[in-house]
Amino acid sequence: MARLVVLGGGVSGHTAATFAAKWLGSSHEVVVVTPNAKWNWIPSNIWVGVGLMSKEEVTFDLASVYAKAGITYKQAKAVSINPEGGSSSDKPFVSIEYTLESREGDVEDVEYDYLINATGPKLNFAATPGLGDENGLGEHTVSVCTADHAVHASQELKKCIQKMKNGERQKFLIGTGHGLCTCQGAAFEYIFNIEHELKKAGVRDMADIKWISNESFLGDFGVGGLHMKAMGFAVSSRIFAESLFAERDVDWIIGAHVSKVEAGSVDYELLDGSVGKESFDFSMLIPPFAGVGIKAYSKDGEDITAELFAPNGFIKVDANYSAGAYENWKASDWPATYQNPTYTNIFACGIAFAPPHPISKPMSSPSGTPINPTPPRTGMPSGIMGKTVAHSICDRILKGEDAPLHRASMAEMGAACVASAGKGIFDGTAAAMTIYPVVPDFDKYPGTGRDTDYTFGEIGLAGHWIKHILHHLFMYKAQLKPGWTLIPE
Amino acid sequence: MSKYSEKNIKAYGNNFTTMTPGPVAKFLRTCVIYQFIRFIVINLKMLVVVKKSH
Ligand SMILES: Cc1cc2nc3c(=O)[nH]c(=O)nc-3n(C[C@H](O)[C@H](O)[C@H](O)COP(=O)(O)OP(=O)(O)OC[C@H]3O[C@@H](n4cnc5c(N)ncnc54)[C@H](O)[C@@H]3O)c2cc1C
């Protein structure tokens, strides 16, 4: 009987664990180690953050779902990986610390035959002074990265709306809180949902709304922008995004590294080296992401974290980490199997794997401050990677250790993204986009790096309906309700 | 008096060089019949991208 341990029950880990449990059946064991009692459909946190959905609508209890799937569930966080075993055994194990209330702080070593690290990001609020502390939220800004953060954001938004109703002008500043942030799409979606809600509340004319981001051009989204076909042109996402901002009277600052957050203002440095200060009454700034800080130890207890993990805390996989300068970058630098090159029974998927380099062109200010988005690993790629890695491991368990690994490179994979702007069935709109491939391949598609037949975007109610449907489909699928395997990742 | 779609453009401001939607584009975005057709088209396109990615 083999044991697969999955660290992290988010989009990627949950997909991997549930498929593995289905494919392996009861003759092998799947264990999920994850610190939260609830699963969260993170994209819908945007609607929680403007008060249109409750926390309960975007989360569900994991315990009953894992019991139904025959998965052993440990509500705990992984602290370290011992890929060579320890003093008493050669069997590799992970050390975990329980977060379950009744066992809080208890530690346990969980042995594994195969390990998937799908621990997602550490929300690194501490990287920017004043943005937040190690525990999450700062005192001056809000966040929508977790369901609880989003509930807090909606409460603060309500207060601002009330102030505007009382005749007090309010300034909203939304975007990224550091020069190396990713997840611009989430902030993009949030700013337009706020704009929509302010209009609905009849206070739009009392609000100044501004975007601040580390992108070198509006619409970069951490993927170096994209080109989509419109009216016979291949139109850059820059035009698409600028048009949306202009139409809704949202101003922007781009190429910005937010260096400090204080009550009511941020300090920032721009790509041209100039510095500035921007005031706000309400601000949601996405924090930079890092690995969650799991350590690794050799058999004799030596710290081998730097061997297993990249310096940013994400786990090394089959990527080319020595591509060097931007001019050398190739689509083939991107990993395909997500297998760790040293310990071949360890895999990483979703945000937890170390990307070989950014997707957007790296840039820095004259003082050397790097200001460019780090690569996003959005929901669809995270789900596909999770399923692919589970497939590879199940094949190795069921067919033998030489079974070929399955592949899912972000340079050969597309992503569908829907950024809503309001939630009404008849008045909400959304930008529905696909991008193919996620990582541009300039050898295959010279110029834009992508296939413009499969990279497209448009704004309208249709995208909004799709966003609604995706919410219900993914909540349904993650709860393993009948037919869940038919819903694609 | 500037037209609705152009009123936010500020001369030589951030948004001076972008395009803004006219009344037809804006109407089509919330026209239920047109959006229903787009809904089918976008879903089909997305399914192709999903299929190519697996
Ligand atoms: C506000 C917001 C909106 C977004 N909207 C979209 C969208 O519209 N479309 C889209 O495609 N993507 C969207 N994304 C991105 C998407 O949410 C991520 O790509 C996806 O969640 C990544 O999946 P993951 O499994 O790698 O990480 P996560 O889903 O974050 O899961 C990681 C899991 O690991 C757990 N964990 C953390 N530390 C440990 C530890 N030490 N041990 C064990 N477990 C641990 C966490 O608790 C969590 O359950 C959005 C993200 C945000 C923040």
Side-chain angles (χ1 to χ4, degrees), chain A residues 193-194 197 313 419 488:
Chain A
N193 271 272
I194 285 194
E197 287 312 305

PDB file of all heavy atoms in Angstrom, chain A residues 193-194 197 313 419 488:
ATOM      1  N   ASN A 193     -15.298  46.225  -9.626  1.00  0.00           N
ATOM      2  CA  ASN A 193     -16.459  45.875  -8.812  1.00  0.00           C
ATOM      3  C   ASN A 193     -16.780  47.005  -7.842  1.00  0.00           C
ATOM      4  O   ASN A 193     -17.952  47.312  -7.599  1.00  0.00           O
ATOM      5  CB  ASN A 193     -16.217  44.565  -8.057  1.00  0.00           C
ATOM      6  CG  ASN A 193     -16.660  43.372  -8.876  1.00  0.00           C
ATOM      7  OD1 ASN A 193     -17.805  42.965  -8.818  1.00  0.00           O
ATOM      8  ND2 ASN A 193     -15.752  42.838  -9.680  1.00  0.00           N
ATOM      9  N   ILE A 194     -15.757  47.631  -7.294  1.00  0.00           N
ATOM     10  CA  ILE A 194     -15.988  48.773  -6.401  1.00  0.00           C
ATOM     11  C   ILE A 194     -16.657  49.899  -7.183  1.00  0.00           C
ATOM     12  O   ILE A 194     -17.658  50.477  -6.747  1.00  0.00           O
ATOM     13  CB  ILE A 194     -14.655  49.244  -5.784  1.00  0.00           C
ATOM     14  CG1 ILE A 194     -14.239  48.252  -4.706  1.00  0.00           C
ATOM     15  CG2 ILE A 194     -14.772  50.656  -5.224  1.00  0.00           C
ATOM     16  CD1 ILE A 194     -13.167  48.734  -3.796  1.00  0.00           C
ATOM     17  N   GLU A 197     -20.241  49.106  -7.695  1.00  0.00           N
ATOM     18  CA  GLU A 197     -21.047  49.209  -6.470  1.00  0.00           C
ATOM     19  C   GLU A 197     -21.272  50.663  -6.072  1.00  0.00           C
ATOM     20  O   GLU A 197     -22.344  51.018  -5.569  1.00  0.00           O
ATOM     21  CB  GLU A 197     -20.355  48.456  -5.317  1.00  0.00           C
ATOM     22  CG  GLU A 197     -20.422  46.954  -5.440  1.00  0.00           C
ATOM     23  CD  GLU A 197     -21.828  46.459  -5.756  1.00  0.00           C
ATOM     24  OE1 GLU A 197     -22.771  46.770  -5.020  1.00  0.00           O
ATOM     25  OE2 GLU A 197     -21.991  45.763  -6.784  1.00  0.00           O
ATOM     26  N   GLY A 313      11.336  30.594  -1.697  1.00  0.00           N
ATOM     27  CA  GLY A 313      10.552  29.650  -0.898  1.00  0.00           C
ATOM     28  C   GLY A 313       9.677  28.713  -1.708  1.00  0.00           C
ATOM     29  O   GLY A 313       8.971  27.879  -1.146  1.00  0.00           O
ATOM     30  N   ALA A 419     -12.884  38.521 -15.548  1.00  0.00           N
ATOM     31  CA  ALA A 419     -12.818  39.563 -14.516  1.00  0.00           C
ATOM     32  C   ALA A 419     -14.140  40.295 -14.521  1.00  0.00           C
ATOM     33  O   ALA A 419     -14.474  41.006 -15.462  1.00  0.00           O
ATOM     34  CB  ALA A 419     -11.669  40.518 -14.810  1.00  0.00           C
ATOM     35  N   PRO A 488     -14.325  20.388 -16.322  1.00  0.00           N
ATOM     36  CA  PRO A 488     -12.880  20.531 -16.515  1.00  0.00           C
ATOM     37  C   PRO A 488     -12.258  21.478 -15.486  1.00  0.00           C
ATOM     38  O   PRO A 488     -12.967  22.298 -14.895  1.00  0.00           O
ATOM     39  CB  PRO A 488     -12.763  21.128 -17.922  1.00  0.00           C
ATOM     40  CG  PRO A 488     -14.091  21.676 -18.248  1.00  0.00           C
ATOM     41  CD  PRO A 488     -15.108  21.004 -17.397  1.00  0.00           C
TER      42      PRO A 488
END
